[in-house]
Amino acid sequence: MTDRAFLTQLDGYGLTTAEIHYYRPDAPSLLQLFVWQEYDLAPDFPVLFDFLGFWRREMEGAVHSVQIAHKDLIGPAQWRMIDGIITIQ
C-alpha cells in the first residue's frame, strides 16, 4: 500500500503552508492566526483557494491576510563526483 502523500508529490504537488490572519467574530478589532497545511500545486494553489472559498462561505471570521510558503519535497537527486579512492580495511 502506497502513501497518498507520496503519490500526490509524484503528481507535482508540494507541501504548502498558509498563515491565515482573520478577524475574530466575537471581537472584530482583534486578529487571530490560523495555520493551514496541505499538498498543493504552485503557483495556482487550487487546494488552498478551495479552502479559502469554504472559509468565506462557512466561517464567520473575515480573512484579513494570507501568507503562503511552498516547498516541492521530491526533486531530482543531488550528487557530485568525488575524485579519489576510499580504502576500507
Side-chain angles (χ1 to χ4, degrees):
M1 185 167 172
T2 306
D3 185 26
R4 179 191 69 85
F6 178 71
L7 293 175
T8 303
Q9 291 175 58
L10 289 178
D11 288 337
Y13 286 71
L15 189 62
T16 301
T17 304
E19 287 185 357
I20 302 168
H21 296 133
Y22 65 97
Y23 294 103
R24 291 182 48 160
D26 59 341
S29 62
L30 297 177
L31 286 175
Q32 183 102 11
L33 172 65
F34 178 79
V35 177
W36 176 90
Q37 196 170 53
E38 186 62 65
Y39 291 99
D40 207 350
L41 283 170
D44 297 329
F45 300 107
V47 178
L48 174 59
F49 284 113
D50 284 346
F51 177 75
L52 290 174
F54 165 79
W55 185 294
R56 242 179 264 114
R57 288 187 313 273
E58 304 295 331
M59 306 299 281
E60 293 182 25
V63 173
H64 173 269
S65 60
V66 178
Q67 292 183 336
I68 302 170
H70 178 80
K71 175 65 179 151
D72 293 328
L73 298 179
I74 293 182
Q78 296 178 358
W79 65 277
R80 62 186 171 121
M81 182 180 290
I82 298 176
D83 188 17
I85 298 174
I86 299 173
T87 306
I88 300 176
Q89 296 181 359

